[in-house]
Amino acid sequence: MNPLAEVEDLIYQLGFSHYGYSAITEPLSWDRYIQWIESNYHGEMDYLKRHLEIKRDLKNIQSSATSIISLAHPYRALHEETEFPFQHLKTAMYAQGTDYHFWLRERLEAIVTRLKELHPNEFFMSSTDSFPIMERDFSYQNRLGWIGKNSCLIHPKEGSLFLLGNIVTSVNLGQNQQFDPLPDFCGTCTRCIDECPTSAIGQNKTINSTKCISYWTIESKNNPPFELATKFKGLFFGCDICQTVCPWNQKVLKRSEPYQKHQKQITDDGLETELRLVLRSSGKQLLKILHGTPLVRAGQRGLKRNAMIVIANLKLNSLTEDVRPYLEHEELKEIATWCLSELSNP
Ligand code: B12
Ligand code: SF4
Ligand code: SF4
């Protein structure tokens, strides 16, 4: 019998697409993770080097922990109308709307609350990027998908355009289950590798973050090497390319009305207006406009940097005068100089 049968209705009502559970073990790809760090593929994301003892053994969160439940939630931008100030600046789908660190956390907590009512003496802790948990690894172990060549977790019906959350618990959930992963359906396909604009995807399902647009436009506080930045196309925040080209996401994208609507709205005029808004707003104004969205993570400096990269790559000469004041800006003068050098008649 499914030990989570009593909360299954709630899981689906909350919008999760699929879930699984198993005993806590050392992450299946622990050695790969260590190799990845040792190769410096994490760039400046130093937090990925911390709390390794917890990552390796989740019992270090709480000694009574025995099991882990993994849950997948499709991006809200794919199935719910979300309020988002930018319709033209290319923003990763997961980031169009409220930050999932709030709404997904709340949905996971609703499940935890119900589980605690049912099992008052047991331990439950939910996490989505909030604890040092290898979320893809456990979700793979829990049969939520296979790990694609783009390193994303992919499900045969749901594709990969979903976020992951996990619940660590002391309830004994199928400790004797056999490990039975979903088969890898990538086959001979290499579309994600071929289409990645910056060649960030290695041969063995690993991403070199220091080449990844997502890393440079979301996580990094610094300027990307300019030669690399010329490959960022018009992407403003995050990158979905290795997922939107994936055959396993085509059906998901087709059946998504909000996504289709968003795709149609992109116009040059609208794009320039939004880029101007980013460059002309003060830090305070910008953070007010974007309050509650993941874009706040990049900070005003990061967002203005990203705007200048878009302007340079799309050769938006009409925005020259909006970039020029940043030649005097202590932290942005370098990127502004490069941006103007990429425009004609700067
Ligand atoms: C750091 C990080 C990034 C970094 C590095 C990404 C990377 N691929 O490593 C950057 C900033 C580049 C990034 C980008 C994105 N990210 Co991110 N990111 C994370 C974070 C915080 C840690 C990931 C990590 O530890 N990476 C290091 C690598 C080495 O570990 P890993 O990704 O777990 O990969 C393991 C498996 O692939 C496994 N593996 C590989 N082959 C095989 C084979 C077998 C048989 C097995 C068992 C295992 C295995 O080995 C790897 C090492 O353990 C996780 C959240 C979390 N706590 O896990 C989110 C997470 C991975 N990101 C997510 C998302 C949505 C994204 C973006 C789509 C956002 C965007 N649109 O811009 C992109 C996608 C880029 C990509 N192709 O991966 C989701 C992924 C959901 C999914 N369906 O897979 C996560 C899980 C966040 C969440 N809670 O939903 N991200
Ligand atoms: S997110 Fe973009 S840059 Fe990063 S690996 Fe995928 S396609 Fe390449
Ligand atoms: S694009 Fe092809 S190779 Fe890449 S993850 Fe999807 S199926 Fe696998």
Side-chain angles (χ1 to χ4, degrees), residues 27-34 36-37 41 45 47-48 55 75 92-94 100 104 127-137 140 147-148 150-154 159-165 179 201 204-209 212-219 237-240 242-243:
L28 292 168
S29 56
W30 178 252
D31 293 345
R32 298 175 67 110
Y33 183 76
I34 297 300
W36 188 79
I37 296 283
Y41 284 171
M45 297 182 289
Y47 70 93
L48 292 170
K55 262 192 182 163
Y75 298 162
M93 273 178 265
Y94 88 87
Y100 71 95
L104 186 53
S127 170
T128 175
D129 275 2
S130 40
F131 266 85
I133 296 179
M134 288 175 59
E135 302 193 2
R136 278 173 170 160
D137 204 272
Y140 169 74
I147 291 165
N150 58 8
S151 96
C152 291
L153 198 75
I154 313 176
S160 66
L161 300 166
F162 54 75
L163 294 161
L164 298 171
F179 172 54
I201 308 179
N204 52 355
K205 305 186 180 198
T206 48
I207 304 291
N208 177 352
S209 302
C212 176
I213 300 169
S214 176
Y215 167 77
W216 283 110
T217 55
I218 302 175
E219 299 289 335
F237 186 88
C239 173
D240 288 329
C242 55
Q243 297 194 88

Side-chain angles (χ1 to χ4, degrees), residues 1 3 21-25 59 63-69 141-142 168-179:
M1 186 194 140
Y21 51 85
S22 63
I24 289 173
T25 56
K59 286 191 169 63
S63 56
S64 64
T66 59
S67 308
I68 181 160
I69 308 167
Q141 175 167 325
N142 287 335
V168 175
T169 177
S170 57
V171 178
N172 192 322
L173 298 169
Q175 284 344 55
N176 300 323
Q177 264 175 263
Q178 286 285 317
F179 172 54

